[in-house]
Amino acid sequence: MPDARALGFIKAFNFFIYGAISIYATFFPLYLRDAGMSSFAIGLLLAGGPFVSLLANPFWGYWSDRLENARRILLILLIGNAAVMQLVFSLKAVYWIFGFMLLYFFFQSPLFSQSNSLILDVAEKTGRKFGAFRLWGSLGWAVMAVATGPVLERLAISRLWIVYGIMMAVSIGLAFLLPRGGKPDTARKAPRSGSRQLWANKPFMLFLAIGVLISIPNSMNNTFVSIYISDLGGKSTLVGWSAFLASIFEIPVYLLLDRYLRKNERTMIGCLAAVSVLYALRWFLMSTAATPYMVLFIQAMHCLTFAGYYYVGTQLTVLLVPRAFRASGQALYALSWGGVSGIVAGVTGGWIFEQFGAHAMYRISAATALLGVAGFALLHRFIARTSARDTNVPGFSGR
C-alpha cells in the first residue's frame, strides 16, 4: 500500500504535468499564430491530436492493463512527449510541424486517462477520494497558466519551448517516484476479450456517444479561446488569467463532489444533464462577449462545467466498466471527450471561426450542448427502465 510520501509524489506529479499541459493548451495556439498560421490551419493541426488519440488511447490503455504498471506507461508517454515537442519547437516548415505534432499527440493524448487510472487504483487501496488528488492538477493548471503569461511577455512567445521543457523535465523526475499502480490486491490479468466486452456494454457506449456532443464545443473553446481573447485586444497575461480563472475554482468543486456525490448511475447521469445545461448557458454568454474581460469572467464557469463533467464522468466510468478493464475504460472515456469530438472541433471549429467569427461558433456550441442535455435525459430514462426490468444488467455492477 502506498505510504504518505508516495501520495505526496502523486499530488506533486499532478501539479506539474497539468501545469505543463496548461502551458501548451493556453499558449501554443498563440505560438502558431505568431508563426504565421491561419485560424483554420491551427484548428486543422490541433485536430490531429484527437485523430491520433483514436489509436493512442486504446493502445496505451490496453498495455497498461496488460502490464499492470501504470507508472511505466506514464514514463514512456512523458519522455516521448517532451522529446518530440522540443523538436517541434525547432521546426519552421509547416509540413514538418504537422508531421511531428501527430507523433507528439501519440504520447500526449493518453496522459490524463493513464494518470487517472493510477489515481483511482491508489485511491481504492488507501480509502482516499479521487478529487483529493485531482485538485492538485487543477491547481497546477491555474498557477502555471497565470504565471507563464508575464514570463512570455518578457521572453516572447517564440521561446515557449523553454518554459514547457522545464515543466516536462520536472514531471518526468516525479514520475519515477510514483507508485506502480494497476496492481490489485489479488493478481489478475485483463482478458484479451476485454475490448469486445467494453464495446458490447450498451449503457457505457451510449454515455460516450452523448458525451461527444458536450465535448465538441468544449474542444472548440479550448482551441480558440486564446485567439478570441487576442482578437478582442487581450495580451498574453490576460490569456493566462483566463486559464487561471477557468481552473482555480475546480478545487472546491472536486472537494464538494468527493463529499456529496452519490455513487449511482441515475444520480450521476442527472448531474451530467444539469452540467450540460450550464455548458449551453456558458457558450451563449461567450457568443455575446464584446471585450476580453467579459471572456475572462465567463471562463470562470469552467469550474462548474468541465470540472463537474470530468469528475462525474470519470466516476461513472468506474461504475460502468469492470475493474479489470479500468485503464481501457478510462482511455475510451478520454477518447470520447477529446478524440472524436476534438477532430470535429478542430476542423469545423476552425472553419466556422475563420468564415463567420467567434460569436457564430459559440452560438452553434450552445445549441450542440442542448442536444447533449436531451441525450442525457433519454439515457436517464433508459437506465431507469432497464433497472426496473432487470437489476443485473451486464456492465452495471461495475466492479
Side-chain angles (χ1 to χ4, degrees), residues 8-210:
F9 287 138
I10 295 174
K11 294 174 182 177
F13 172 78
N14 263 4
F15 180 92
F16 280 97
I17 189 55
Y18 275 84
I21 302 303
S22 166
I23 292 168
Y24 158 78
T26 304
F27 297 104
F28 192 60
L30 294 179
Y31 172 87
L32 296 174
R33 170 68 71 87
D34 184 69
M37 285 193 186
S38 67
S39 296
F40 178 70
I42 293 171
L44 192 63
L45 172 62
L46 298 183
F51 181 80
V52 173
S53 74
L54 296 175
L55 168 67
N57 271 291
F59 176 83
W60 292 112
Y62 169 81
W63 281 108
S64 183
D65 284 332
R66 291 295 298 173
L67 298 176
E68 298 176 342
N69 192 328
R71 180 183 60 200
R72 182 183 301 174
I73 298 299
L74 280 172
L75 280 167
I76 295 171
L77 295 174
L78 290 166
I79 293 169
N81 177 311
V84 175
M85 196 61 181
Q86 290 306 309
L87 181 59
V88 168
F89 281 126
S90 70
L91 298 172
K92 301 300 180 185
V94 172
Y95 55 87
W96 282 114
I97 293 175
F98 266 80
F100 279 97
M101 280 301 293
L102 295 178
L103 181 58
Y104 165 78
F105 292 134
F106 183 72
F107 295 107
Q108 186 269 336
S109 58
L111 272 175
F112 291 155
S113 64
Q114 293 309 306
S115 64
N116 284 346
S117 178
L118 186 146
I119 290 171
L120 288 165
D121 280 330
V122 171
E124 189 172 90
K125 292 175 183 177
T126 60
R128 305 296 180 93
K129 299 289 188 177
F130 174 78
F133 295 100
R134 178 56 180 80
L135 66 83
W136 286 90
S138 298
L139 184 62
W141 189 287
V143 170
M144 295 314 302
V146 77
T148 301
V151 171
L152 290 178
E153 286 192 4
R154 290 180 64 88
L155 293 178
I157 193 71
S158 60
R159 295 183 177 177
L160 179 62
W161 65 272
I162 298 175
V163 186
Y164 186 79
I166 291 171
M167 291 294 292
M168 287 304 300
V170 175
S171 299
I172 291 169
L174 287 168
F176 280 101
L177 304 173
L178 294 175
R180 174 190 175 101
K183 188 88 172 174
D185 296 331
T186 303
R188 91 280 185 263
K189 285 282 186 181
R192 294 184 182 274
S193 62
S195 60
R196 291 194 296 272
Q197 291 188 36
L198 288 178
W199 288 107
N201 188 333
K202 188 178 294 185
F204 183 54
M205 290 296 110
L206 290 172
F207 159 59
L208 297 183
I210 297 166

Side-chain angles (χ1 to χ4, degrees), residues 229-281:
I229 291 172
S230 179
D231 288 347
L232 290 173
K235 296 184 178 180
S236 294
T237 299
L238 201 62
V239 172
W241 276 107
S242 170
F244 176 86
L245 289 176
S247 301
I248 193 65
F249 297 115
E250 289 180 2
I251 296 172
V253 172
Y254 287 133
L255 292 175
L256 288 171
L257 289 171
D258 267 347
R259 186 179 182 92
Y260 295 110
L261 180 67
R262 293 177 58 191
K263 302 297 196 300
N264 67 71
E265 293 89 350
R266 280 182 285 179
T267 297
M268 290 184 179
I269 291 171
C271 288
L272 292 175
V275 167
S276 300
V277 172
L278 293 176
Y279 257 129
L281 175 60

Side-chain angles (χ1 to χ4, degrees), residues 30 114 274 293 295-296 317 343 346 362 370:
L30 294 179
Q114 293 309 306
Y293 293 97
V295 175
L296 189 74
T317 300
I343 296 170
Y362 283 112
L370 289 176

